[in-house]
Amino acid sequence: MTSRPLRVLVPLLVLTQSCTSAPVRPNAAEAARATGAGEYTLAKDITVRRIAPGVWMHTTLSDEDFGFVPANGLIVEDGDGSLLVDTGWNQQQAEQLVDWAASSLGKPVRAAVATHFHDDRTAGIPVLVARGIPVHGLEDTVRIAGERGKPVPSRAFTEVATLGPLELFFPGAGHAPDNIVVVHRDSQVLFGGCFVKDAAAKDLGNLGDAVVSEWPASLERVQARYPDTRIIVPGHGAPGGPELLNHTRALLR
């Protein structure tokens, strides 16, 4: 595929439709409660934790019949603004994350990215678009989301893009045909999303849209492109190091 660099100035379980969360509060600074050094609880289903300088991991819970399912994303500081990686399970969660970034972090979200078309990555897109926040996604994510009636990213890219301090990279299919990884090179943090499994995972999870035959080669491309990665954030579960790529490879075997 042809790369078209883009510069912006300004879970291991079945993925389902949006869930019901705690009501949105008008002031995120009042809603956020510090629970430890660099960690905040925004609501009963949203936490935000600092994992590197300027990089925050958000975890949202889906309240479904099979239980609460945590999904990870990022908020990355970019000058006097920030970038949102994945939206949470529903529009209420996306709204609370954006409010927290503006009111508590003091860095309003300028742009966002969806790492593939599943609900835990895209469900909050309507909130972002309504606020004039561009949402970037792989061309295939835009296409598949539209075909399946999911919220659609408002900006498309092919294979590789630059979004502020982030690099967006499509390594090939794996968990989904359109999964990308997002890398913050300054801190050597790689957001693998559902393409990477956490250390506690015993299997590959939801394979409904997976391309298992291509997944190993896609992992190799990530390892080759980002050999200096220190922290890897999976789509679900605890962050780890480069061993998470090897663990995912072992599960594939």
Side-chain angles (χ1 to χ4, degrees), residues 182-197:
V182 178
V183 176
H184 185 248
R185 287 192 180 272
D186 290 347
S187 62
Q188 297 177 346
V189 170
L190 183 149
F191 181 76
C194 301
F195 175 76
V196 177
K197 302 305 173 184

Side-chain angles (χ1 to χ4, degrees), residues 84-142:
L84 179 68
V85 178
D86 291 334
T87 70
W89 289 96
N90 57 54
Q91 295 186 38
Q92 292 89 349
Q93 290 171 345
E95 188 163 15
Q96 286 172 294
L97 288 168
V98 171
D99 287 346
W100 179 83
S103 299
S104 294
L105 193 59
K107 295 179 180 290
V109 173
R110 291 175 170 172
V113 57
T115 58
H116 63 279
F117 74 91
H118 285 156
D119 291 356
D120 53 342
R121 312 295 144 191
T122 61
I125 286 177
V127 166
L128 305 179
V129 172
R131 294 191 180 201
I133 298 171
V135 182
H136 301 274
L138 192 70
E139 283 187 341
D140 281 347
T141 301
V142 172

Side-chain angles (χ1 to χ4, degrees), residues 21-114:
S21 72
V24 176
R25 296 174 175 83
N27 188 329
E30 296 173 358
R33 177 172 60 87
T35 57
E39 185 169 349
Y40 297 85
T41 297
L42 279 59
K44 67 179 183 180
D45 56 350
I46 309 173
T47 59
V48 179
R49 177 162 67 93
R50 182 179 178 272
I51 60 172
V55 181
W56 301 77
M57 181 179 78
H58 64 76
T59 301
T60 56
L61 296 178
S62 169
D63 185 5
E64 301 294 345
D65 292 340
F66 48 80
F68 292 97
V69 180
N72 301 324
L74 298 181
I75 296 174
V76 179
E77 298 177 25
D78 180 22
D80 58 1
S82 64
L83 306 170
L84 179 68
V85 178
D86 291 334
T87 70
W89 289 96
N90 57 54
Q91 295 186 38
Q92 292 89 349
Q93 290 171 345
E95 188 163 15
Q96 286 172 294
L97 288 168
V98 171
D99 287 346
W100 179 83
S103 299
S104 294
L105 193 59
K107 295 179 180 290
V109 173
R110 291 175 170 172
V113 57

